[in-house]
Amino acid sequence: MDQFTLNLIFVGASFALYIGIAIWARAGSTAEFYAAGRGVHPVTNGMATAADWMSAASFISMAGLIAFTGYDNSTYLMGWTGGYVLLALLLAPYLRKFGKFTVPEFIGDRFYSPTARLVAVISLLVASLTYVIGQMTGVGVAFGRFLEVDNTTGLLIGAVVVFAYAVFGGMKGVTYTQVAQYCVLIAAYTIPAVFISLQLTGNPIPALGLFTDTDSGRPLLETLDLIVTDLGFNAYTAHHGDTFNMLLFTLSLMIGTAGLPHVIMRFFTVPKVSDARWSAGWTLVFIALLYLTAPAVGAMARLNITQQFWPEGTNAEAVSVETIENDPAYDWMATWQQTGLLGWEDKNGDGRIQYYNDAAPAMQDRAAEAGWQGNELVNFNNDILVLANPEIANLPGWVIGLVAAGGLAAALSTAAGLLLAISSAVSMIW
Amino acid sequence: MSDHTTHPPTTMTKDDKAYWSANVRIITICLIIWAIVSFGFGIILRPLISWIGIGGTDLGFWFAQQGSILVFLALIFFYAWRMNRLDRQYGVEEE
């Protein structure tokens, strides 16, 4: 069976599952539509909230951001999860105790002001719409690659599916659909990571594999530091940027995360305040399963990619164009080149692709001596890292299909949550 | 419970004040730990604890990429357990 059929089966089956669940859990009343009848178990709600919270950015982009920068981009890991702590401690329990379905309702009632409520509605709309655009772009990229349709068509298919189950299912349908989406996305994220961790370190848990020795007997992170600095890149584990800047960036990610309207809304779906607090804990458990794996995915992918370009080691010859074109291990480069998100060019015409940091002063001598005319891996979009990862590591075809379904699950679950937040905010205006 | 919003705020009793200050204390403790593991060990204090090695790098790197998340997890569960107990002590829990 070819890869396209496998992708189609995985994506099609997951979509059928989501729509099936939405039909089974149809909303029968207003309370069911906005708050799932307040009858959702804290663990179930935690899983749904995790899917709601983890967007296309967490699933598709984050590991790529860490992989090509290293330690400095730990800000995303700490910022997004740390912001969730603020939400769970300072916002969610109080909103839940106040007994209103939505944030604008809370603000309007608490400050006895319809104007304040309107301002809250508008802020919520601006934030949610911006966020929904990001998710739908993610859906477009994933569809474009895996179903081989163009970006716009992919986006429209995704929009129709989300619209269908968000409108018919309401919060109840969305909650149970998100539980299914969480299962799909976490399996899609961790299964390839486990395979890759086993290949590189022999440790089946990627989060631990990150701090384990590779086959050569040297720790993985030390190996990675050596290889990337040999090519003139910044050491992976070292801090390069400005400390104060990193601090402020982390803080701004935290504050932004604490206010996400579609996540706050989720704390109204459990029966009691005490359940809302437990549910917040379970949510972070399910989020942490992905967030503890992400740094391992990033570091291991960076190591695999660099080694593919320098198969004989960083001091020997680079990979030849002939190998890239004919060796099945390099097929991923051709498939991703078609999307325009990956590009290479043999600038000096030596039949090899030299991947190195041509801006580093330390590389100038070696480049001059070897006749290199700049980095020949001219384009590597961070966003393809997670999606291309199983292909780079030569994993079986079904894993690639699963990752396609997982990326879509992450984007769709967040989009559905946002659509509900938008619809409840709009209904406040009238 | 949606009644609160229709009545004017009543004066706080002694119990209410004690409950609120206990609530604020729990949150303050949690947020101090929250800041120490992320902004502290993960960023500013990283050079100070870099002598502690872990799997090919230093402890600060681990805090930035995994340790802070694990501590956050512990904090939220501690908060839930402690606040739910406080609610019961002051009889303000929901049926």
Side-chain angles (χ1 to χ4, degrees), chain A residues 220-244:
Chain A
L220 183 117
L221 285 166
E222 212 176 293
T223 315
L224 184 57
D225 272 349
L226 280 173
I227 289 182
V228 296
T229 47
D230 263 355
L231 299 171
F233 296 104
N234 284 333
Y236 189 84
T237 57
H239 183 27
H240 303 284
D242 177 55
T243 305
F244 189 56

Side-chain angles (χ1 to χ4, degrees), chain A residues 38 71 74 78 81-82 85 89-90 93-94 97-98 207 211 237 254 272-274 277-278 281 284-285 292 295, chain B residues 1 5 19 23 27 30 34 39 42 46 55-57 62 64-66 68 72-73 76-77 79 83-84 87 94:
Chain A
R38 292 207 166 144
Y71 165 78
S74 309
M78 288 186 287
T81 52
V85 174
L89 261 54
L90 302 177
Y94 302 99
K97 240 178 184 168
F98 200 78
F211 297 97
T237 57
M254 285 172 169
K272 292 185 288 185
V273 173
S274 56
R277 294 189 186 119
W278 287 125
L284 196 58
V285 168
L292 293 175
Chain B
M1 79 184 161
T5 52
Y19 171 79
N23 182 359
I27 291 176
C30 287
W34 166 83
F39 299 122
R46 187 182 174 198
T57 181
W62 180 78
Q65 301 221 322
Q66 292 182 348
S68 54
F72 294 160
L73 207 52
I76 295 190
F77 274 106
Y79 171 80
M83 281 305 295
N84 289 347
D87 278 6
E94 285 174 307

Side-chain angles (χ1 to χ4, degrees), chain A residues 13-27 44 48 164-166 168-184:
Chain A
S14 65
F15 274 33
L17 177 69
Y18 307 149
I19 292 172
I21 290 172
I23 292 170
W24 164 74
R26 275 191 318 277
T44 316
Y165 69 71
F168 297 122
M171 191 55 136
K172 195 175 165 203
V174 167
T175 300
Y176 291 105
T177 314
Q178 281 170 336
V179 171
Q181 282 164 335
Y182 177 79
C183 298
V184 172

Side-chain angles (χ1 to χ4, degrees), chain A residues 40-51 182 279-280 282-284 286-287:
Chain A
V40 181
H41 189 272
V43 178
T44 316
N45 191 54
M47 211 180 259
T49 312
Y182 177 79
S279 182
W282 284 109
T283 303
L284 196 58
F286 295 120
I287 290 172

Side-chain angles (χ1 to χ4, degrees), chain A residues 28-396:
Chain A
S29 67
T30 312
E32 281 197 337
F33 192 87
Y34 288 124
R38 292 207 166 144
V40 181
H41 189 272
V43 178
T44 316
N45 191 54
M47 211 180 259
T49 312
D52 208 346
W53 190 85
M54 288 191 284
S55 60
S58 294
F59 189 96
I60 300 176
S61 309
M62 191 172 62
L65 286 169
I66 298 167
F68 290 98
T69 309
Y71 165 78
D72 286 31
N73 273 352
S74 309
T75 46
Y76 294 98
L77 294 162
M78 288 186 287
W80 285 335
T81 52
Y84 182 79
V85 174
L86 292 181
L87 188 148
L89 261 54
L90 302 177
L91 291 171
Y94 302 99
L95 288 170
R96 176 65 184 80
K97 240 178 184 168
F98 200 78
K100 288 292 167 189
F101 284 139
T102 66
V103 181
E105 249 186 312
F106 165 76
I107 290 178
D109 287 355
R110 172 67 184 77
F111 299 102
Y112 311 102
S113 161
T115 321
R117 194 174 77 171
L118 191 66
V119 172
V121 169
I122 292 166
S123 318
L124 190 147
L125 285 179
V126 172
S128 302
L129 282 172
T130 316
Y131 206 27
V132 128
I133 291 167
Q135 304 313 311
M136 296 319 287
T137 313
V139 172
V141 171
F143 267 122
R145 163 65 186 87
F146 294 107
L147 300 184
E148 294 166 25
V149 294
D150 71 287
N151 223 323
T152 316
T153 317
L155 203 150
L156 288 173
I157 299 173
V160 168
V161 172
V162 179
F163 186 78
Y165 69 71
V167 167
F168 297 122
M171 191 55 136
K172 195 175 165 203
V174 167
T175 300
Y176 291 105
T177 314
Q178 281 170 336
V179 171
Q181 282 164 335
Y182 177 79
C183 298
V184 172
L185 83 85
I186 200 68
Y189 205 83
T190 48
I191 288 172
V194 168
F195 273 118
I196 293 167
S197 180
L198 278 171
Q199 281 174 357
L200 289 173
T201 67
N203 194 322
I205 301 167
L208 299 177
L210 180 62
F211 297 97
T212 312
D213 294 355
T214 56
D215 298 338
S216 63
R218 188 181 274 139
L220 183 117
L221 285 166
E222 212 176 293
T223 315
L224 184 57
D225 272 349
L226 280 173
I227 289 182
V228 296
T229 47
D230 263 355
L231 299 171
F233 296 104
N234 284 333
Y236 189 84
T237 57
H239 183 27
H240 303 284
D242 177 55
T243 305
F244 189 56
N245 199 20
M246 186 171 174
L247 200 80
L248 289 183
F249 187 54
T250 308
L251 187 65
S252 60
L253 288 172
M254 285 172 169
I255 294 169
T257 306
L260 290 174
H262 61 299
V263 178
I264 290 174
M265 210 175 143
R266 294 231 57 108
F267 291 93
F268 299 107
T269 56
V270 288
K272 292 185 288 185
V273 173
S274 56
D275 291 332
R277 294 189 186 119
W278 287 125
S279 182
W282 284 109
T283 303
L284 196 58
V285 168
F286 295 120
I287 290 172
L289 286 177
L290 191 144
Y291 270 63
L292 293 175
T293 309
V297 169
M300 290 172 187
R302 179 80 183 272
L303 189 64
N304 271 336
I305 291 164
T306 314
Q307 284 177 337
Q308 274 214 319
F309 282 94
W310 298 94
E312 311 293 326
T314 48
N315 289 315
E317 292 281 9
V319 67
S320 68
V321 176
E322 199 194 330
T323 310
I324 292 177
E325 280 166 2
N326 300 313
D327 188 337
Y330 291 84
D331 279 353
W332 65 274
M333 289 183 63
T335 35
W336 283 96
Q337 192 188 29
Q338 289 161 8
T339 62
L341 301 172
L342 177 75
W344 67 93
E345 181 194 345
D346 187 10
K347 291 177 185 167
N348 62 352
D350 67 346
R352 294 180 183 279
I353 299 298
Q354 283 94 18
Y355 162 55
Y356 69 106
N357 181 9
D358 50 14
M363 296 305 289
Q364 304 305 332
D365 287 349
R366 188 178 168 192
E369 203 178 301
W372 299 346
Q373 287 165 9
N375 177 24
E376 295 180 342
L377 182 65
V378 289
N379 178 17
F380 194 113
N381 189 307
N382 286 342
D383 286 351
I384 73 171
L385 185 110
V386 169
L387 298 177
N389 208 17
E391 298 167 81
I392 298 170
N394 265 318
L395 299 182

